[in-house]
Amino acid sequence: MTGGGLLVAGTTSDAGKSVVTAGICRWLVRQGVKVAPFKAQNMSLNSFVTREGAEIGRAQAMQAQACRVEPTALMNPVLLKPGGEQSSQVVLLGKPVGELSARGYHGGRQQQLLGTVLECLAELRGTYDAVICEGAGSPAEINLRRTDIVNMGIARNAGLPVLVVGDIDRGGVFASFFGTVALLSRQDQELIAGFLVNKFRGDVSLLEPGLDMLHDLTGRRTYGVLPFRHGLGIDEEDGLRISLRGAVRESEVSSPVGEDVLRVAVCAVPLMSNFTDVDALAAEPGVVVRFVDRPEELADADLVVVPGTRGTVRALEWLRERGLARALVRRAAEGRPILGICGGFQLLGEHIEDDVESRRGQVEGLGVLPVRVRFAREKTLTRPVGEALGEPVEGYEIHHGVAEVTGGEPFLDGCRVGRTWGTHWHGSLESDGFRRAFLREVAAAAGRRFVPAPDTSFAALREEQLDRLGDLIEQHADTDALWRLIESGAPQGLPFIPPGAPA
């Protein structure tokens, strides 16, 4: 027996597809439904490693958490990791299979992956009561429809009803809804069940006449109006669209436990990957996190984080061009705290031998840590566990660079020299005891009277956030009608809205 399904599409990128998908998943699992997320193709530098060692988008990992199930490669069979303006690494079923230009991917390779994508979706639907799928961009990308495997391509092949989400906070939501439907072919339109308004501010009664007119124009109903709420964005795909504190909790800054706040500056390197590593710092009361791109912005920081990047050599050049490299070297010499994570750890080393990512050969690093890095063609994808600063730590690794540590004190898989730490481990700061111990060291080195809160649980904050997403769906969407869609498919007899897709 095949489980029910739904595709959550959007009028635009960042309309709220990931959040709505997670909210529907959490609402369903609280009703006792066995549910899983799915995104056929994801383009993101924010990724995660599953327990079987597969790399998938972090948004799908968070949606799996909303479902209270373990994430697997089936939930995101195709992941594209941009390496620049012209090409992306293609990750298939959790493993890298090569680099392709956008033209090469959309010119044939994408369509070849449709069979794999459909097999993954069918396996999930054979295992779960319901699968909530997330689209990408807009389903009305008419230039890409022929090779589409993530929006109407997957909906048509799998017979999925489609719910279109629109961000009313941007304006123009009615035109976006109508135009999305009107640019689809007759067969695609038959699957567009209706709409969901996201990020509404104000009195819903003022919106209702427009929703009635939209129904008259399209023959399709609106399944809910979700109010605007701060701090509901789950792990983003494409960039820093929301504040870091807003990414993990309400936007109000909690008062510090001690007398001082702790200021964290994150270098906004090109092709930044897994910027969510610092979400756990932003979750701490009294910790202020900001992204910076100028050396003077490091001056009052108590901790500087150099995050991961898909282009270590490019990031190194960017740091030098902007004067940030000199500021980091000077900061390390002064014994002021720096944390390098993954690519950030690599560029703090002595030199990098890269014939894989940048193909630049040997490049001199910042020389802050006694580390030599060689890029291997095989990607490291692991979920390590260990201990640091007397506390247990868990993390995950996603990198081509192999580090040879020649000195310093051991720190996770990397090293520490003075007040500079480096590691390949993403997610280590989510380990509460370790994060508190690390912040105590940073505060002592910075001379701040900062005290970590004794009871901040990052996992509990994530659960609280996912429950709030489920509450939004339960309280502001027509859940009975949503369940009918999931169980029975799109309503029959939906009208065709001209002109339809261009020939």
Side-chain angles (χ1 to χ4, degrees), residues 256-260 284-285 440 443 448-454:
V257 175
E259 296 180 43
D260 289 343
E284 284 285 348
R440 280 193 290 270
R448 297 286 184 188
R449 290 171 294 181
F450 169 85
V451 178

Side-chain angles (χ1 to χ4, degrees), residues 71-92:
T72 73
L74 293 174
M75 297 170 183
N76 180 206
V78 181
L79 174 64
L80 305 179
K81 302 194 72 176
E85 297 297 324
Q86 300 296 325
S87 68
S88 293
Q89 183 180 68
V90 181
V91 179
L92 179 62

Side-chain angles (χ1 to χ4, degrees), residues 140-164:
E141 308 284 2
I142 54 178
N143 56 316
L144 303 176
R145 175 63 185 90
R146 184 177 59 83
T147 57
D148 171 47
I149 64 169
V150 65
N151 290 307
M152 300 314 298
I154 192 80
R156 279 272 290 280
N157 278 280
L160 294 172
V162 180
L163 182 70
V164 180

Side-chain angles (χ1 to χ4, degrees), residues 198-477:
N198 192 28
K199 301 183 186 176
F200 179 72
R201 305 173 192 251
D203 185 346
V204 176
S205 67
L206 298 176
L207 186 67
E208 287 170 349
L211 301 179
D212 292 339
M213 285 186 273
L214 182 66
H215 182 270
D216 293 341
L217 286 165
T218 66
R220 290 158 175 85
R221 58 167 298 178
T222 298
Y223 284 79
V225 177
L226 307 185
F228 185 94
R229 292 285 187 270
H230 286 290
L232 289 184
I234 66 171
D235 294 3
E236 294 288 297
E237 295 177 357
D238 305 321
L240 305 173
R241 292 201 173 117
I242 50 179
S243 72
L244 262 290
R245 185 166 296 281
V248 291
R249 66 189 326 184
E250 288 288 348
S251 59
E252 295 84 8
V253 177
S254 300
S255 300
V257 175
E259 296 180 43
D260 289 343
V261 299
L262 211 59
R263 296 171 177 82
V264 179
V266 184
C267 295
V269 296
L271 297 174
M272 191 188 316
S273 61
N274 292 71
F275 56 85
T276 46
D277 280 334
V278 296
D279 280 3
L281 295 178
E284 284 285 348
V287 176
V288 179
V289 177
R290 67 182 188 273
F291 285 80
V292 304
D293 60 4
R294 295 179 299 179
E296 57 267 27
E297 293 177 294
L298 305 188
D300 67 343
D302 302 308
L303 169 67
V304 173
V305 177
V306 189
T309 171
R310 170 88 163 88
T312 301
V313 171
R314 179 177 169 186
L316 189 54
E317 292 172 342
W318 180 86
L319 290 169
R320 286 182 167 132
E321 289 167 2
R322 290 181 170 261
L324 284 160
R326 288 191 302 273
L328 287 168
V329 171
R330 184 168 60 250
R331 183 182 180 90
E334 293 169 353
R336 301 180 66 200
I338 301 172
L339 172 63
I341 302 174
C342 200
F345 163 45
Q346 295 167 5
L347 60 81
L348 290 174
E350 295 166 352
H351 69 252
I352 299 164
E353 188 178 331
D354 180 11
D355 295 316
V356 176
E357 249 181 23
S358 69
R359 298 181 175 87
R360 294 281 297 278
Q362 186 159 309
V363 177
E364 292 302 308
L366 297 187
V368 172
L369 291 175
V371 176
R372 299 169 185 168
V373 176
R374 176 184 56 81
F375 274 67
R377 299 201 175 274
E378 186 79 13
K379 183 184 278 192
T380 297
L381 296 167
T382 62
R383 290 275 292 271
V385 296
E387 183 178 298
L389 306 181
E391 297 286 346
V393 191
E394 296 183 16
Y396 57 99
E397 295 185 55
I398 306 170
H399 54 91
H400 284 281
V402 178
E404 178 191 358
V405 179
T406 60
E409 301 174 44
F411 177 70
L412 302 177
D413 70 329
C415 67
R416 167 188 183 172
V417 173
R419 299 296 183 181
T420 300
W421 297 264
T423 177
H424 274 130
W425 290 24
H426 294 289
S428 63
L429 294 166
E430 295 179 20
S431 298
D432 297 327
F434 165 71
R435 182 179 66 254
R436 286 192 277 269
F438 179 71
L439 289 175
R440 280 193 290 270
E441 286 223 10
V442 169
R448 297 286 184 188
R449 290 171 294 181
F450 169 85
V451 178
D455 55 355
T456 301
S457 166
F458 188 74
L461 287 172
R462 284 295 199 199
E463 278 297 303
E464 175 188 304
Q465 181 190 35
L466 292 170
D467 275 331
R468 291 171 63 216
L469 293 177
D471 292 343
L472 265 190
I473 297 299
E474 189 169 334
Q475 295 167 13
H476 300 282

